[in-house]
């Protein structure tokens, strides 16, 4: 199988494992926005923002270090056992400390204690499957990976629907359900669903822990930690870029409007999920490929082509979502009170597009073991996020947060490209990349800001973009389709 065929096959399967679960999660948005007032949805969004940060802390770069050393070391069993033991010990240490400090955490975050308790157990379960899932990816078993991921989220989705929509009705007819049906318990039901789904994933992956040889190599672990620590720093910075806008909106806006603003912002943020899904699926597919192909003499040229394909597909997705954004808001945001924040969608879409390009460009510091540069770039992006949010939120509320996100990811993308030219030159086709990106942004701006996504204008613009794309890439497209 050719390099690109194998890459796209794995990307497709990982994409299914990412897109389908997140699409199921996306389908929860109509449920949440229908069942929860904007303020309550704001509370849920704030809690999930903390989830992102703690997931990064509990992984502490070990996932990426696992891939690097699994491909680098001859004794792969030693890499598997050392990383698994490390994650297991740190996860249970977190559990003990978090349970001991749960009251203080609730006070500090201003989150109800019952939600904190559920969150602690979810974070533990999610941490314990990090290495088993990484092992499946490293062993190139994407189908098993996809089945577990999809089933996990299907359980979460099904329980959400049952508990939020049908439980109360069933309790009127069957006394059996009375013991789990409680008033004003919607947010807890959301996290209970998550907890059960995470428990399922760990249960299915438990054989991994029974089959590995428990040998902890201290020297190897130190090397992995040295490699992974910059990834951890970059991850913390990423969590700040990705989720701290909700937390800062909650802290910086007046108390009587803060949760409402967080709720409408978070709901409309979800409309940019299509770009996130694409970028995440692509990253999951290419990350093991980047490491496996790094020793090939044609690696830089191959990386350049992959990035061009990413920009082509991303440009189309960006323009497509902008063209049909008003249909999407009607379909997924059932309560019209959420629609006020739809103006942030172009900013968030473009921001996530820039982030996806950044992940493609970041190959240079991963394959050359210069992960500290990834940390530097991400920290710089986080500083931009924090500074701009503090400056813009009081004046522009959630629009300021969206602008800050775009500024952060755009800067990170440009910095990675600039530094990569020095340490690992890759011959990117900047002319075509710039053309597709510029056309997509320009057509989107015309459609959204000038004609309010009027289909008489926006659909022809989308078709013109596709014609230009086909004319420019006709030869390569025919070759890929033929293969």
């Amino acid at each position: 199988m050719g390099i690109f065929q194998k890459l796209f096959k794995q990307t497709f399967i990982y994409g299914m494992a990412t897109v389908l679960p997140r699409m199921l999660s996306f389908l929860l948005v109509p449920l949440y926005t229908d069942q929860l007032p904007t303020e309550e949805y704001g509370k849920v969004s704030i809690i999930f923002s903390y989830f992102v940060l703690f997931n990064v802390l509990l992984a502490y770069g070990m996932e990426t270090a696992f891939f690097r050393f699994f491909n680098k070391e001859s004794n792969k069993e030693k890499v598997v056992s050392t990383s698994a033991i490390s994650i297991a010990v740190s996860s249970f240490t977190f559990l003990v400390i978090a349970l001991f400090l749960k009251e203080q955490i609730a006070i500090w975050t201003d989150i109800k204690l019952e939600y904190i308790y559920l969150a602690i157990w979810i974070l533990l379960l999610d941490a314990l499957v990090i290495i088993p899932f990484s092992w499946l990816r490293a062993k190139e078993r994407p189908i098993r990976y996809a089945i577990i991921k999809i089933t996990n989220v299907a359980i979460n989705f099904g329980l959400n629907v049952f508990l939020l929509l049908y439980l109360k009705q069933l309790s009127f007819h069957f006394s059996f359900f009375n013991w789990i049906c409680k008033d004003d318990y919607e947010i807890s039901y959301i996290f209970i669903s998550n907890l059960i789904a995470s428990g399922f994933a760990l249960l299915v992956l438990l054989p991994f822990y029974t089959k590995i040889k428990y040998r902890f190599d201290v020297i190897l672990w130190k090397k992995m930690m040295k490699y992974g620590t910059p990834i951890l720093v970059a991850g913390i910075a990423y969590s700040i870029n990705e989720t701290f806008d909700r937390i800062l909106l909650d802290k910086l806006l007046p108390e009587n409007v803060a949760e409402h603003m967080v709720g409408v912002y978070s709901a409309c943020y979800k409309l940019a999920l299509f770009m996130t899904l694409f970028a995440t699926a692509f990253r999951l597919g290419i990350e093991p490929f980047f490491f496996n192909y790094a020793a090939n003499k044609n690696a830089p040229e191959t990386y350049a082509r992959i990035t061009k394909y990413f920009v082509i597909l991303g440009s189309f997705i960006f323009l497509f979502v902008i063209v049909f954004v008003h249909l999407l808001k009607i379909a997924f945001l059932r309560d019209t009170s959420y629609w006020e924040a739809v103006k942030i969608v172009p900013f968030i879409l473009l921001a996530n597009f820039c982030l996806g390009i950044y992940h493609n460009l970041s190959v240079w510091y991963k394959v050359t073991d210069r992960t500290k540069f990834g940390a530097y770039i991400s920290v710089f992006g986080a500083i931009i996020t924090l500074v701009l949010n503090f400056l813009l939120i009081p004046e522009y509320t959630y629009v300021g947060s969206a602008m800050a996100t775009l500024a952060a990811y755009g800067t990170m993308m440009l910095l990675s490209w600039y530094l990569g030219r020095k340490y690992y030159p890759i011959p990117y086709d900047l002319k075509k990349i710039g053309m597709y990106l510029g056309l997509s942004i320009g057509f989107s701006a015309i459609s959204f800001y000038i004609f309010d996504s009027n289909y008489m204008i926006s659909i022809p613009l989308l078709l013109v973009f596709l014609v230009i794309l086909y004319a420019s890439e006709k030869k390569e497209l025919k070759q890929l389709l033929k293969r």
Side-chain angles (χ1 to χ4, degrees):
M1 184 182 294
I3 290 295
F4 287 100
Q5 288 173 294
K6 183 178 180 181
L7 170 64
F8 287 130
K9 179 184 175 182
Q10 290 199 11
T11 299
F12 175 76
I13 298 173
Y14 285 124
M16 294 294 286
T18 305
V19 171
L20 287 182
R22 293 206 181 186
M23 281 304 295
L24 288 174
S25 299
F26 189 44
L27 292 175
L28 289 172
V29 175
L31 175 63
Y32 291 162
T33 55
D34 184 51
Q35 295 290 315
L36 301 176
T38 55
E39 294 79 6
E40 292 295 294
Y41 188 66
K43 290 178 184 177
V44 174
S45 301
I46 292 167
I47 296 169
F48 276 118
S49 297
Y50 285 111
F51 264 96
V52 173
L53 174 61
F54 279 94
N55 280 329
V56 169
L57 291 172
L58 289 172
Y60 50 87
M62 189 57 69
E63 181 180 15
T64 304
F66 173 86
F67 284 120
R68 180 57 172 163
F69 285 86
F70 189 86
N71 288 287
K72 186 178 181 181
E73 296 286 325
S74 58
N75 190 340
K76 300 186 186 304
E77 286 187 356
K78 185 170 62 175
V79 176
V80 174
S81 63
T82 299
S83 55
I85 292 170
S86 179
I87 287 289
V89 170
S90 61
S91 298
F92 283 106
T93 302
F94 159 78
L95 175 67
V96 173
I97 295 172
L99 289 176
F100 180 73
L101 297 174
K102 60 182 182 296
E103 287 86 1
Q104 288 82 355
I105 296 171
I107 294 169
W108 181 70
T109 58
D110 196 26
I111 296 171
K112 288 177 68 174
L113 183 60
E114 63 185 275
Y115 306 153
I116 294 294
Y117 189 75
L118 290 168
I120 290 169
W121 285 101
I122 293 169
L123 288 167
L124 171 72
L125 297 176
D126 288 347
L128 291 174
V129 298
I130 291 171
I131 300 303
F133 273 131
S134 300
W135 181 81
L136 289 176
R137 289 173 59 197
K139 296 291 286 185
E140 296 187 353
R141 296 181 183 176
I143 294 176
R144 179 171 170 78
Y145 176 95
I147 290 172
I148 298 172
K149 283 282 188 179
I150 292 169
T151 307
N152 167 271
V153 181
I155 291 171
N156 189 11
F157 178 82
L159 286 171
N160 268 277
V161 172
F162 171 74
L163 293 172
L164 293 177
L165 273 185
Y166 297 111
L167 178 61
K168 188 169 287 188
Q169 298 175 25
L170 288 170
S171 67
F172 288 126
H173 302 287
F174 303 98
S175 58
F176 171 78
F177 293 104
N178 287 334
W179 68 280
I180 57 173
C181 183
K182 300 181 181 180
D183 292 329
D184 300 321
Y185 210 65
E186 288 83 3
I187 295 178
S188 290
Y189 286 145
I190 291 171
F191 294 113
I192 289 170
S193 301
N194 200 322
L195 178 65
I196 294 172
S198 296
F200 160 80
L202 179 59
L203 184 65
V204 173
L205 291 167
L206 271 181
F208 167 84
Y209 283 102
T210 61
K211 292 178 182 178
I212 63 174
K213 296 178 181 179
Y214 285 91
R215 296 175 182 172
F216 188 78
D217 189 314
V218 176
I219 296 174
L220 173 63
W221 180 77
K222 289 180 179 179
K223 291 179 182 177
M224 295 180 77
M225 289 298 294
K226 183 179 179 181
Y227 182 89
T229 298
I231 304 295
L232 167 62
V233 175
I236 293 172
Y238 167 78
S239 69
I240 291 173
N241 289 330
E242 192 66 15
T243 63
F244 258 54
D245 46 5
R246 281 80 151 182
I247 296 170
L248 292 174
L249 282 167
D250 183 51
K251 300 296 182 185
L252 296 176
L253 292 175
E255 191 173 336
N256 61 326
V257 299
E259 288 179 349
H260 165 76
M261 292 288 187
V262 174
V264 298
Y265 175 71
S266 300
C268 288
Y269 200 105
K270 290 285 188 180
L271 296 180
L273 187 67
F274 297 99
M275 183 64 74
T276 307
L277 293 176
F278 163 65
T280 303
F282 205 90
R283 181 178 62 82
L284 287 171
I286 64 171
E287 193 170 62
F289 170 82
F290 277 161
F291 288 124
N292 291 335
Y293 202 66
N296 192 292
K297 65 178 182 179
N298 296 322
E301 289 76 16
T302 302
Y303 297 155
R305 290 180 68 192
I306 290 171
T307 301
K308 188 182 76 169
Y309 294 145
F310 177 85
V311 172
I312 288 172
L313 292 170
S315 297
F316 169 74
I317 292 170
F318 178 74
L319 181 55
F320 182 88
V321 174
I322 294 299
V323 167
F324 296 105
V325 68
H326 292 307
L327 279 179
L328 293 172
K329 79 177 183 185
I330 293 170
F332 293 100
L333 307 180
R334 298 294 177 82
D335 187 341
T336 56
S337 61
Y338 285 90
W339 293 3
E340 68 174 75
V342 77
K343 53 195 168 188
I344 62 121
V345 174
F347 291 104
I348 300 303
L349 265 175
L350 185 55
N352 281 288
F353 191 10
C354 290
L355 179 63
I357 297 173
Y358 165 74
H359 283 308
N360 278 269
L361 299 176
S362 68
V363 61
W364 70 267
Y365 65 73
K366 290 181 178 179
V367 300
T368 60
D369 291 345
R370 290 186 171 93
T371 53
K372 63 181 181 180
F373 283 98
Y376 297 154
I377 295 169
S378 297
V379 168
F380 190 72
I383 292 171
I384 292 174
T385 295
L386 292 173
V387 170
L388 289 182
N389 268 286
F390 275 105
L391 291 175
L392 298 176
I393 284 176
E395 181 70 23
Y396 301 104
T397 65
Y398 48 71
V399 176
S401 292
M403 294 166 64
T405 302
L406 175 56
Y409 288 151
T411 302
M412 289 168 59
M413 175 187 70
L414 293 173
L415 270 177
S416 185
W417 168 75
Y418 179 79
L419 293 171
R421 293 190 308 167
K422 176 181 178 182
Y423 294 101
Y424 190 83
I426 295 175
Y428 295 113
D429 191 344
L430 295 179
K431 184 178 178 180
K432 284 193 173 181
I433 287 174
M435 179 182 72
Y436 298 134
L437 192 57
L439 282 173
S440 179
I441 294 172
F443 286 174
S444 296
I446 293 170
S447 170
F448 189 83
Y449 292 108
I450 298 177
F451 294 101
D452 194 27
S453 297
N454 184 304
Y455 297 134
M456 297 295 291
I457 303 296
S458 56
I459 291 177
L461 286 175
L462 180 62
L463 294 175
V464 169
F465 178 81
L466 289 174
V467 169
I468 294 172
L469 173 61
Y470 179 77
S472 300
E473 302 294 332
K474 180 167 57 177
K475 185 178 179 181
E476 287 201 36
L477 286 172
K478 284 183 176 179
Q479 288 177 346
L480 283 173
L481 292 173
K482 187 176 181 181
R483 290 175 186 172

